[in-house]
PDB file of all heavy atoms in Angstrom:
ATOM      1  N   ARG A   1     158.035  62.175  79.818  1.00 97.00           N
ATOM      2  CA  ARG A   1     157.813  62.186  78.370  1.00 97.00           C
ATOM      3  C   ARG A   1     158.960  62.924  77.683  1.00 97.00           C
ATOM      4  O   ARG A   1     159.463  63.913  78.210  1.00 97.00           O
ATOM      5  CB  ARG A   1     156.478  62.852  78.041  1.00 97.00           C
ATOM      6  CG  ARG A   1     156.048  62.747  76.585  1.00 97.00           C
ATOM      7  CD  ARG A   1     154.628  63.284  76.408  1.00 97.00           C
ATOM      8  NE  ARG A   1     153.656  62.436  77.091  1.00 97.00           N
ATOM      9  CZ  ARG A   1     153.128  61.334  76.577  1.00 97.00           C
ATOM     10  NH1 ARG A   1     153.461  60.951  75.349  1.00 97.00           N
ATOM     11  NH2 ARG A   1     152.257  60.627  77.267  1.00 97.00           N
ATOM     12  N   TYR A   2     159.363  62.419  76.517  1.00 97.00           N
ATOM     13  CA  TYR A   2     160.475  62.979  75.759  1.00 97.00           C
ATOM     14  C   TYR A   2     160.010  63.400  74.366  1.00 97.00           C
ATOM     15  O   TYR A   2     159.060  62.839  73.820  1.00 97.00           O
ATOM     16  CB  TYR A   2     161.588  61.935  75.584  1.00 97.00           C
ATOM     17  CG  TYR A   2     162.100  61.301  76.837  1.00 97.00           C
ATOM     18  CD1 TYR A   2     161.454  60.190  77.393  1.00 97.00           C
ATOM     19  CD2 TYR A   2     163.243  61.786  77.465  1.00 97.00           C
ATOM     20  CE1 TYR A   2     161.944  59.584  78.543  1.00 97.00           C
ATOM     21  CE2 TYR A   2     163.743  61.174  78.607  1.00 97.00           C
ATOM     22  CZ  TYR A   2     163.083  60.081  79.152  1.00 97.00           C
ATOM     23  OH  TYR A   2     163.566  59.482  80.289  1.00 97.00           O
ATOM     24  N   ARG A   3     160.755  64.356  73.787  1.00 94.00           N
ATOM     25  CA  ARG A   3     160.557  64.731  72.393  1.00 94.00           C
ATOM     26  C   ARG A   3     161.791  64.361  71.584  1.00 94.00           C
ATOM     27  O   ARG A   3     162.916  64.627  72.018  1.00 94.00           O
ATOM     28  CB  ARG A   3     160.276  66.226  72.266  1.00 94.00           C
ATOM     29  CG  ARG A   3     158.858  66.608  72.667  1.00 94.00           C
ATOM     30  CD  ARG A   3     158.563  68.058  72.368  1.00 94.00           C
ATOM     31  NE  ARG A   3     157.129  68.302  72.363  1.00 94.00           N
ATOM     32  CZ  ARG A   3     156.554  69.448  72.020  1.00 94.00           C
ATOM     33  NH1 ARG A   3     157.320  70.483  71.644  1.00 94.00           N
ATOM     34  NH2 ARG A   3     155.255  69.571  72.019  1.00 94.00           N
ATOM     35  N   VAL A   4     161.585  63.789  70.419  1.00 95.00           N
ATOM     36  CA  VAL A   4     162.672  63.352  69.546  1.00 95.00           C
ATOM     37  C   VAL A   4     162.661  64.223  68.286  1.00 95.00           C
ATOM     38  O   VAL A   4     161.608  64.400  67.656  1.00 95.00           O
ATOM     39  CB  VAL A   4     162.513  61.870  69.167  1.00 95.00           C
ATOM     40  CG1 VAL A   4     163.660  61.419  68.265  1.00 95.00           C
ATOM     41  CG2 VAL A   4     162.442  61.007  70.428  1.00 95.00           C
ATOM     42  N   PHE A   5     163.829  64.781  67.950  1.00 93.00           N
ATOM     43  CA  PHE A   5     163.973  65.663  66.798  1.00 93.00           C
ATOM     44  C   PHE A   5     164.965  65.060  65.807  1.00 93.00           C
ATOM     45  O   PHE A   5     165.999  64.522  66.202  1.00 93.00           O
ATOM     46  CB  PHE A   5     164.499  67.043  67.223  1.00 93.00           C
ATOM     47  CG  PHE A   5     163.568  67.801  68.131  1.00 93.00           C
ATOM     48  CD1 PHE A   5     163.545  67.551  69.503  1.00 93.00           C
ATOM     49  CD2 PHE A   5     162.725  68.779  67.628  1.00 93.00           C
ATOM     50  CE1 PHE A   5     162.692  68.249  70.344  1.00 93.00           C
ATOM     51  CE2 PHE A   5     161.874  69.491  68.455  1.00 93.00           C
ATOM     52  CZ  PHE A   5     161.857  69.224  69.817  1.00 93.00           C
ATOM     53  N   ARG A   6     164.652  65.183  64.522  1.00 95.00           N
ATOM     54  CA  ARG A   6     165.576  64.809  63.447  1.00 95.00           C
ATOM     55  C   ARG A   6     165.618  65.961  62.446  1.00 95.00           C
ATOM     56  O   ARG A   6     164.571  66.449  62.029  1.00 95.00           O
ATOM     57  CB  ARG A   6     165.141  63.506  62.768  1.00 95.00           C
ATOM     58  CG  ARG A   6     165.180  62.299  63.714  1.00 95.00           C
ATOM     59  CD  ARG A   6     164.856  61.001  62.975  1.00 95.00           C
ATOM     60  NE  ARG A   6     164.728  59.881  63.896  1.00 95.00           N
ATOM     61  CZ  ARG A   6     165.737  59.153  64.369  1.00 95.00           C
ATOM     62  NH1 ARG A   6     166.978  59.426  63.982  1.00 95.00           N
ATOM     63  NH2 ARG A   6     165.533  58.140  65.205  1.00 95.00           N
ATOM     64  N   GLN A   7     166.832  66.393  62.125  1.00 93.00           N
ATOM     65  CA  GLN A   7     167.034  67.540  61.226  1.00 93.00           C
ATOM     66  C   GLN A   7     166.244  68.760  61.700  1.00 93.00           C
ATOM     67  O   GLN A   7     165.731  69.541  60.900  1.00 93.00           O
ATOM     68  CB  GLN A   7     166.631  67.172  59.792  1.00 93.00           C
ATOM     69  CG  GLN A   7     167.307  65.929  59.243  1.00 93.00           C
ATOM     70  CD  GLN A   7     168.835  66.028  59.233  1.00 93.00           C
ATOM     71  OE1 GLN A   7     169.396  67.103  59.082  1.00 93.00           O
ATOM     72  NE2 GLN A   7     169.514  64.889  59.405  1.00 93.00           N
ATOM     73  N   GLY A   8     166.151  68.919  63.024  1.00 88.00           N
ATOM     74  CA  GLY A   8     165.475  70.072  63.597  1.00 88.00           C
ATOM     75  C   GLY A   8     163.973  69.967  63.675  1.00 88.00           C
ATOM     76  O   GLY A   8     163.316  70.885  64.178  1.00 88.00           O
ATOM     77  N   GLU A   9     163.387  68.873  63.213  1.00 91.00           N
ATOM     78  CA  GLU A   9     161.935  68.711  63.209  1.00 91.00           C
ATOM     79  C   GLU A   9     161.507  67.702  64.276  1.00 91.00           C
ATOM     80  O   GLU A   9     162.120  66.633  64.416  1.00 91.00           O
ATOM     81  CB  GLU A   9     161.452  68.237  61.838  1.00 91.00           C
ATOM     82  CG  GLU A   9     161.752  69.213  60.701  1.00 91.00           C
ATOM     83  CD  GLU A   9     160.989  70.510  60.825  1.00 91.00           C
ATOM     84  OE1 GLU A   9     159.867  70.490  61.384  1.00 91.00           O
ATOM     85  OE2 GLU A   9     161.504  71.548  60.362  1.00 91.00           O
ATOM     86  N   LEU A  10     160.464  68.059  65.027  1.00 92.00           N
ATOM     87  CA  LEU A  10     159.895  67.121  65.988  1.00 92.00           C
ATOM     88  C   LEU A  10     159.264  65.961  65.239  1.00 92.00           C
ATOM     89  O   LEU A  10     158.379  66.157  64.408  1.00 92.00           O
ATOM     90  CB  LEU A  10     158.848  67.834  66.850  1.00 92.00           C
ATOM     91  CG  LEU A  10     158.049  66.959  67.819  1.00 92.00           C
ATOM     92  CD1 LEU A  10     158.959  66.345  68.875  1.00 92.00           C
ATOM     93  CD2 LEU A  10     156.943  67.789  68.475  1.00 92.00           C
ATOM     94  N   VAL A  11     159.724  64.748  65.525  1.00 95.00           N
ATOM     95  CA  VAL A  11     159.200  63.583  64.807  1.00 95.00           C
ATOM     96  C   VAL A  11     158.348  62.678  65.683  1.00 95.00           C
ATOM     97  O   VAL A  11     157.494  61.957  65.165  1.00 95.00           O
ATOM     98  CB  VAL A  11     160.343  62.762  64.157  1.00 95.00           C
ATOM     99  CG1 VAL A  11     161.020  63.567  63.066  1.00 95.00           C
ATOM    100  CG2 VAL A  11     161.366  62.285  65.199  1.00 95.00           C
ATOM    101  N   GLU A  12     158.552  62.702  67.002  1.00 95.00           N
ATOM    102  CA  GLU A  12     157.715  61.879  67.872  1.00 95.00           C
ATOM    103  C   GLU A  12     157.913  62.260  69.329  1.00 95.00           C
ATOM    104  O   GLU A  12     158.902  62.894  69.703  1.00 95.00           O
ATOM    105  CB  GLU A  12     158.026  60.387  67.690  1.00 95.00           C
ATOM    106  CG  GLU A  12     159.447  59.977  68.035  1.00 95.00           C
ATOM    107  CD  GLU A  12     159.680  58.487  67.840  1.00 95.00           C
ATOM    108  OE1 GLU A  12     158.731  57.684  68.046  1.00 95.00           O
ATOM    109  OE2 GLU A  12     160.813  58.105  67.497  1.00 95.00           O
ATOM    110  N   GLU A  13     156.916  61.884  70.149  1.00 97.00           N
ATOM    111  CA  GLU A  13     157.035  61.944  71.598  1.00 97.00           C
ATOM    112  C   GLU A  13     156.981  60.517  72.118  1.00 97.00           C
ATOM    113  O   GLU A  13     156.158  59.718  71.670  1.00 97.00           O
ATOM    114  CB  GLU A  13     155.917  62.785  72.223  1.00 97.00           C
ATOM    115  CG  GLU A  13     156.089  64.268  72.042  1.00 97.00           C
ATOM    116  CD  GLU A  13     155.212  65.087  72.983  1.00 97.00           C
ATOM    117  OE1 GLU A  13     154.454  64.495  73.784  1.00 97.00           O
ATOM    118  OE2 GLU A  13     155.299  66.335  72.934  1.00 97.00           O
ATOM    119  N   VAL A  14     157.870  60.207  73.065  1.00 97.00           N
ATOM    120  CA  VAL A  14     157.955  58.860  73.616  1.00 97.00           C
ATOM    121  C   VAL A  14     158.111  58.943  75.132  1.00 97.00           C
ATOM    122  O   VAL A  14     158.421  60.000  75.687  1.00 97.00           O
ATOM    123  CB  VAL A  14     159.142  58.074  72.996  1.00 97.00           C
ATOM    124  CG1 VAL A  14     158.974  57.932  71.495  1.00 97.00           C
ATOM    125  CG2 VAL A  14     160.469  58.751  73.321  1.00 97.00           C
ATOM    126  N   THR A  15     157.918  57.815  75.791  1.00 97.00           N
ATOM    127  CA  THR A  15     158.119  57.747  77.236  1.00 97.00           C
ATOM    128  C   THR A  15     159.325  56.895  77.604  1.00 97.00           C
ATOM    129  O   THR A  15     159.615  56.723  78.793  1.00 97.00           O
ATOM    130  CB  THR A  15     156.865  57.180  77.927  1.00 97.00           C
ATOM    131  OG1 THR A  15     156.558  55.891  77.376  1.00 97.00           O
ATOM    132  CG2 THR A  15     155.665  58.108  77.727  1.00 97.00           C
ATOM    133  N   ASP A  16     160.041  56.388  76.619  1.00 98.00           N
ATOM    134  CA  ASP A  16     161.214  55.540  76.856  1.00 98.00           C
ATOM    135  C   ASP A  16     162.179  55.716  75.680  1.00 98.00           C
ATOM    136  O   ASP A  16     161.786  55.568  74.523  1.00 98.00           O
ATOM    137  CB  ASP A  16     160.777  54.076  76.974  1.00 98.00           C
ATOM    138  CG  ASP A  16     161.886  53.147  77.431  1.00 98.00           C
ATOM    139  OD1 ASP A  16     163.055  53.364  77.036  1.00 98.00           O
ATOM    140  OD2 ASP A  16     161.599  52.188  78.164  1.00 98.00           O
ATOM    141  N   LEU A  17     163.435  56.042  75.995  1.00 98.00           N
ATOM    142  CA  LEU A  17     164.439  56.289  74.958  1.00 98.00           C
ATOM    143  C   LEU A  17     165.337  55.087  74.678  1.00 98.00           C
ATOM    144  O   LEU A  17     166.255  55.186  73.858  1.00 98.00           O
ATOM    145  CB  LEU A  17     165.336  57.462  75.369  1.00 98.00           C
ATOM    146  CG  LEU A  17     164.678  58.824  75.555  1.00 98.00           C
ATOM    147  CD1 LEU A  17     165.705  59.827  76.092  1.00 98.00           C
ATOM    148  CD2 LEU A  17     164.066  59.321  74.258  1.00 98.00           C
ATOM    149  N   SER A  18     165.092  53.983  75.343  1.00 97.00           N
ATOM    150  CA  SER A  18     166.035  52.862  75.276  1.00 97.00           C
ATOM    151  C   SER A  18     166.313  52.422  73.846  1.00 97.00           C
ATOM    152  O   SER A  18     167.463  52.154  73.474  1.00 97.00           O
ATOM    153  CB  SER A  18     165.500  51.682  76.096  1.00 97.00           C
ATOM    154  OG  SER A  18     165.353  52.041  77.462  1.00 97.00           O
ATOM    155  N   ALA A  19     165.289  52.362  73.021  1.00 97.00           N
ATOM    156  CA  ALA A  19     165.468  51.892  71.652  1.00 97.00           C
ATOM    157  C   ALA A  19     166.157  52.918  70.766  1.00 97.00           C
ATOM    158  O   ALA A  19     166.656  52.579  69.689  1.00 97.00           O
ATOM    159  CB  ALA A  19     164.108  51.522  71.050  1.00 97.00           C
ATOM    160  N   LEU A  20     166.234  54.172  71.221  1.00 97.00           N
ATOM    161  CA  LEU A  20     166.822  55.256  70.430  1.00 97.00           C
ATOM    162  C   LEU A  20     168.223  55.633  70.888  1.00 97.00           C
ATOM    163  O   LEU A  20     168.884  56.444  70.241  1.00 97.00           O
ATOM    164  CB  LEU A  20     165.918  56.500  70.511  1.00 97.00           C
ATOM    165  CG  LEU A  20     164.505  56.364  69.954  1.00 97.00           C
ATOM    166  CD1 LEU A  20     163.667  57.567  70.345  1.00 97.00           C
ATOM    167  CD2 LEU A  20     164.542  56.210  68.440  1.00 97.00           C
ATOM    168  N   TRP A  21     168.672  55.078  71.986  1.00 98.00           N
ATOM    169  CA  TRP A  21     169.903  55.561  72.617  1.00 98.00           C
ATOM    170  C   TRP A  21     171.128  55.276  71.770  1.00 98.00           C
ATOM    171  O   TRP A  21     171.225  54.241  71.101  1.00 98.00           O
ATOM    172  CB  TRP A  21     170.074  54.943  74.005  1.00 98.00           C
ATOM    173  CG  TRP A  21     171.121  55.654  74.801  1.00 98.00           C
ATOM    174  CD1 TRP A  21     172.370  55.222  75.113  1.00 98.00           C
ATOM    175  CD2 TRP A  21     171.005  56.963  75.367  1.00 98.00           C
ATOM    176  NE1 TRP A  21     173.045  56.164  75.839  1.00 98.00           N
ATOM    177  CE2 TRP A  21     172.228  57.258  76.009  1.00 98.00           C
ATOM    178  CE3 TRP A  21     169.991  57.926  75.394  1.00 98.00           C
ATOM    179  CZ2 TRP A  21     172.465  58.453  76.670  1.00 98.00           C
ATOM    180  CZ3 TRP A  21     170.226  59.117  76.051  1.00 98.00           C
ATOM    181  CH2 TRP A  21     171.453  59.375  76.674  1.00 98.00           C
ATOM    182  N   ARG A  22     172.081  56.232  71.808  1.00 97.00           N
ATOM    183  CA  ARG A  22     173.348  56.107  71.090  1.00 97.00           C
ATOM    184  C   ARG A  22     174.503  56.407  72.042  1.00 97.00           C
ATOM    185  O   ARG A  22     174.361  57.198  72.962  1.00 97.00           O
ATOM    186  CB  ARG A  22     173.404  57.095  69.915  1.00 97.00           C
ATOM    187  CG  ARG A  22     172.362  56.869  68.894  1.00 97.00           C
ATOM    188  CD  ARG A  22     172.302  57.837  67.732  1.00 97.00           C
ATOM    189  NE  ARG A  22     173.232  58.948  67.681  1.00 97.00           N
ATOM    190  CZ  ARG A  22     173.175  59.920  66.760  1.00 97.00           C
ATOM    191  NH1 ARG A  22     172.231  59.892  65.824  1.00 97.00           N
ATOM    192  NH2 ARG A  22     174.049  60.910  66.758  1.00 97.00           N
ATOM    193  N   ASP A  23     175.640  55.799  71.783  1.00 97.00           N
ATOM    194  CA  ASP A  23     176.797  55.963  72.662  1.00 97.00           C
ATOM    195  C   ASP A  23     177.464  57.323  72.539  1.00 97.00           C
ATOM    196  O   ASP A  23     178.337  57.659  73.352  1.00 97.00           O
ATOM    197  CB  ASP A  23     177.826  54.864  72.386  1.00 97.00           C
ATOM    198  CG  ASP A  23     177.356  53.497  72.848  1.00 97.00           C
ATOM    199  OD1 ASP A  23     176.453  53.446  73.715  1.00 97.00           O
ATOM    200  OD2 ASP A  23     177.885  52.488  72.351  1.00 97.00           O
ATOM    201  N   ASP A  24     177.084  58.131  71.533  1.00 97.00           N
ATOM    202  CA  ASP A  24     177.705  59.448  71.380  1.00 97.00           C
ATOM    203  C   ASP A  24     176.837  60.573  71.952  1.00 97.00           C
ATOM    204  O   ASP A  24     177.160  61.750  71.783  1.00 97.00           O
ATOM    205  CB  ASP A  24     177.982  59.737  69.900  1.00 97.00           C
ATOM    206  CG  ASP A  24     176.703  59.953  69.092  1.00 97.00           C
ATOM    207  OD1 ASP A  24     175.671  59.323  69.425  1.00 97.00           O
ATOM    208  OD2 ASP A  24     176.732  60.756  68.140  1.00 97.00           O
ATOM    209  N   LEU A  25     175.768  60.246  72.675  1.00 98.00           N
ATOM    210  CA  LEU A  25     174.851  61.271  73.166  1.00 98.00           C
ATOM    211  C   LEU A  25     175.304  61.826  74.510  1.00 98.00           C
ATOM    212  O   LEU A  25     175.730  61.073  75.401  1.00 98.00           O
ATOM    213  CB  LEU A  25     173.440  60.696  73.284  1.00 98.00           C
ATOM    214  CG  LEU A  25     172.793  60.269  71.954  1.00 98.00           C
ATOM    215  CD1 LEU A  25     171.433  59.643  72.206  1.00 98.00           C
ATOM    216  CD2 LEU A  25     172.679  61.459  71.001  1.00 98.00           C
ATOM    217  N   VAL A  26     175.193  63.149  74.652  1.00 98.00           N
ATOM    218  CA  VAL A  26     175.573  63.852  75.888  1.00 98.00           C
ATOM    219  C   VAL A  26     174.336  64.526  76.464  1.00 98.00           C
ATOM    220  O   VAL A  26     173.620  65.253  75.753  1.00 98.00           O
ATOM    221  CB  VAL A  26     176.667  64.901  75.619  1.00 98.00           C
ATOM    222  CG1 VAL A  26     177.018  65.642  76.910  1.00 98.00           C
ATOM    223  CG2 VAL A  26     177.909  64.237  75.031  1.00 98.00           C
ATOM    224  N   THR A  27     174.094  64.312  77.746  1.00 98.00           N
ATOM    225  CA  THR A  27     172.915  64.860  78.424  1.00 98.00           C
ATOM    226  C   THR A  27     173.265  66.127  79.192  1.00 98.00           C
ATOM    227  O   THR A  27     174.264  66.179  79.910  1.00 98.00           O
ATOM    228  CB  THR A  27     172.328  63.827  79.404  1.00 98.00           C
ATOM    229  OG1 THR A  27     171.955  62.653  78.678  1.00 98.00           O
ATOM    230  CG2 THR A  27     171.113  64.382  80.124  1.00 98.00           C
ATOM    231  N   PHE A  28     172.419  67.146  79.037  1.00 97.00           N
ATOM    232  CA  PHE A  28     172.507  68.389  79.791  1.00 97.00           C
ATOM    233  C   PHE A  28     171.231  68.570  80.599  1.00 97.00           C
ATOM    234  O   PHE A  28     170.127  68.340  80.088  1.00 97.00           O
ATOM    235  CB  PHE A  28     172.659  69.593  78.845  1.00 97.00           C
ATOM    236  CG  PHE A  28     173.948  69.636  78.084  1.00 97.00           C
ATOM    237  CD1 PHE A  28     174.113  68.894  76.921  1.00 97.00           C
ATOM    238  CD2 PHE A  28     175.006  70.425  78.528  1.00 97.00           C
ATOM    239  CE1 PHE A  28     175.304  68.939  76.212  1.00 97.00           C
ATOM    240  CE2 PHE A  28     176.196  70.472  77.827  1.00 97.00           C
ATOM    241  CZ  PHE A  28     176.346  69.733  76.663  1.00 97.00           C
ATOM    242  N   LEU A  29     171.377  69.002  81.851  1.00 95.00           N
ATOM    243  CA  LEU A  29     170.225  69.329  82.697  1.00 95.00           C
ATOM    244  C   LEU A  29     170.255  70.814  83.017  1.00 95.00           C
ATOM    245  O   LEU A  29     171.289  71.357  83.410  1.00 95.00           O
ATOM    246  CB  LEU A  29     170.234  68.503  83.978  1.00 95.00           C
ATOM    247  CG  LEU A  29     170.074  66.988  83.791  1.00 95.00           C
ATOM    248  CD1 LEU A  29     170.098  66.294  85.146  1.00 95.00           C
ATOM    249  CD2 LEU A  29     168.795  66.653  83.037  1.00 95.00           C
ATOM    250  N   ILE A  30     169.121  71.457  82.850  1.00 92.00           N
ATOM    251  CA  ILE A  30     168.992  72.908  82.962  1.00 92.00           C
ATOM    252  C   ILE A  30     167.896  73.236  83.951  1.00 92.00           C
ATOM    253  O   ILE A  30     166.842  72.585  83.982  1.00 92.00           O
ATOM    254  CB  ILE A  30     168.679  73.502  81.560  1.00 92.00           C
ATOM    255  CG1 ILE A  30     169.882  73.287  80.630  1.00 92.00           C
ATOM    256  CG2 ILE A  30     168.311  74.980  81.646  1.00 92.00           C
ATOM    257  CD1 ILE A  30     169.585  73.545  79.178  1.00 92.00           C
ATOM    258  N   GLY A  31     168.124  74.257  84.781  1.00 87.00           N
ATOM    259  CA  GLY A  31     167.171  74.642  85.812  1.00 87.00           C
ATOM    260  C   GLY A  31     165.795  74.950  85.262  1.00 87.00           C
ATOM    261  O   GLY A  31     165.638  75.410  84.133  1.00 87.00           O
ATOM    262  N   CYS A  32     164.771  74.716  86.078  1.00 83.00           N
ATOM    263  CA  CYS A  32     163.372  74.836  85.663  1.00 83.00           C
ATOM    264  C   CYS A  32     162.608  75.730  86.635  1.00 83.00           C
ATOM    265  O   CYS A  32     162.824  75.675  87.848  1.00 83.00           O
ATOM    266  CB  CYS A  32     162.741  73.444  85.626  1.00 83.00           C
ATOM    267  SG  CYS A  32     160.950  73.446  85.437  1.00 83.00           S
ATOM    268  N   SER A  33     161.694  76.518  86.085  1.00 77.00           N
ATOM    269  CA  SER A  33     160.913  77.445  86.919  1.00 77.00           C
ATOM    270  C   SER A  33     160.009  76.728  87.907  1.00 77.00           C
ATOM    271  O   SER A  33     159.603  77.325  88.906  1.00 77.00           O
ATOM    272  CB  SER A  33     160.069  78.364  86.030  1.00 77.00           C
ATOM    273  OG  SER A  33     159.179  77.624  85.222  1.00 77.00           O
ATOM    274  N   PHE A  34     159.687  75.448  87.668  1.00 75.00           N
ATOM    275  CA  PHE A  34     158.868  74.731  88.638  1.00 75.00           C
ATOM    276  C   PHE A  34     159.522  74.728  90.014  1.00 75.00           C
ATOM    277  O   PHE A  34     158.847  74.642  91.041  1.00 75.00           O
ATOM    278  CB  PHE A  34     158.636  73.286  88.180  1.00 75.00           C
ATOM    279  CG  PHE A  34     157.719  73.135  87.001  1.00 75.00           C
ATOM    280  CD1 PHE A  34     157.532  71.898  86.410  1.00 75.00           C
ATOM    281  CD2 PHE A  34     157.045  74.216  86.473  1.00 75.00           C
ATOM    282  CE1 PHE A  34     156.695  71.732  85.320  1.00 75.00           C
ATOM    283  CE2 PHE A  34     156.201  74.075  85.373  1.00 75.00           C
ATOM    284  CZ  PHE A  34     156.022  72.828  84.806  1.00 75.00           C
ATOM    285  N   SER A  35     160.838  74.824  90.061  1.00 74.00           N
ATOM    286  CA  SER A  35     161.544  74.768  91.345  1.00 74.00           C
ATOM    287  C   SER A  35     161.275  75.989  92.214  1.00 74.00           C
ATOM    288  O   SER A  35     161.260  75.886  93.444  1.00 74.00           O
ATOM    289  CB  SER A  35     163.052  74.625  91.107  1.00 74.00           C
ATOM    290  OG  SER A  35     163.368  73.357  90.584  1.00 74.00           O
ATOM    291  N   PHE A  36     161.099  77.175  91.619  1.00 79.00           N
ATOM    292  CA  PHE A  36     160.854  78.340  92.466  1.00 79.00           C
ATOM    293  C   PHE A  36     159.372  78.518  92.802  1.00 79.00           C
ATOM    294  O   PHE A  36     159.023  79.340  93.645  1.00 79.00           O
ATOM    295  CB  PHE A  36     161.434  79.623  91.867  1.00 79.00           C
ATOM    296  CG  PHE A  36     160.872  80.070  90.548  1.00 79.00           C
ATOM    297  CD1 PHE A  36     159.543  80.416  90.395  1.00 79.00           C
ATOM    298  CD2 PHE A  36     161.705  80.181  89.440  1.00 79.00           C
ATOM    299  CE1 PHE A  36     159.037  80.846  89.188  1.00 79.00           C
ATOM    300  CE2 PHE A  36     161.209  80.610  88.217  1.00 79.00           C
ATOM    301  CZ  PHE A  36     159.861  80.947  88.092  1.00 79.00           C
ATOM    302  N   GLU A  37     158.491  77.748  92.151  1.00 82.00           N
ATOM    303  CA  GLU A  37     157.067  77.870  92.467  1.00 82.00           C
ATOM    304  C   GLU A  37     156.806  77.578  93.941  1.00 82.00           C
ATOM    305  O   GLU A  37     155.934  78.199  94.568  1.00 82.00           O
ATOM    306  CB  GLU A  37     156.250  76.921  91.585  1.00 82.00           C
ATOM    307  CG  GLU A  37     156.185  77.343  90.131  1.00 82.00           C
ATOM    308  CD  GLU A  37     155.402  76.401  89.255  1.00 82.00           C
ATOM    309  OE1 GLU A  37     155.226  75.223  89.633  1.00 82.00           O
ATOM    310  OE2 GLU A  37     154.962  76.843  88.177  1.00 82.00           O
ATOM    311  N   GLU A  38     157.567  76.652  94.504  1.00 79.00           N
ATOM    312  CA  GLU A  38     157.399  76.314  95.924  1.00 79.00           C
ATOM    313  C   GLU A  38     157.600  77.534  96.812  1.00 79.00           C
ATOM    314  O   GLU A  38     156.826  77.772  97.744  1.00 79.00           O
ATOM    315  CB  GLU A  38     158.395  75.214  96.306  1.00 79.00           C
ATOM    316  CG  GLU A  38     158.422  74.906  97.794  1.00 79.00           C
ATOM    317  CD  GLU A  38     159.590  74.015  98.165  1.00 79.00           C
ATOM    318  OE1 GLU A  38     160.331  73.585  97.272  1.00 79.00           O
ATOM    319  OE2 GLU A  38     159.754  73.767  99.366  1.00 79.00           O
TER     320      GLU A  38
END
């Protein structure tokens, strides 16, 4: 599930970004605490 923000405001949650995708978007992945739960 994804969250979409416009002008800093949450506008919707979606499960597919295909219709929203833009060629100028850069993806960052950041470590998550779920990994150390194991």
Side-chain angles (χ1 to χ4, degrees):
R1 188 173 293 276
Y2 306 85
R3 284 187 162 186
V4 181
F5 296 82
R6 296 185 187 276
Q7 306 301 329
E9 298 294 330
L10 174 64
V11 294
E12 62 180 327
E13 285 196 0
V14 299
T15 57
D16 189 324
L17 298 175
S18 299
L20 298 169
W21 194 253
R22 298 177 359 186
D23 290 339
D24 69 327
L25 296 177
V26 179
T27 300
F28 293 82
L29 296 180
I30 294 167
C32 169
S33 59
F34 289 174
S35 291
F36 63 62
E37 289 179 339
E38 173 191 356

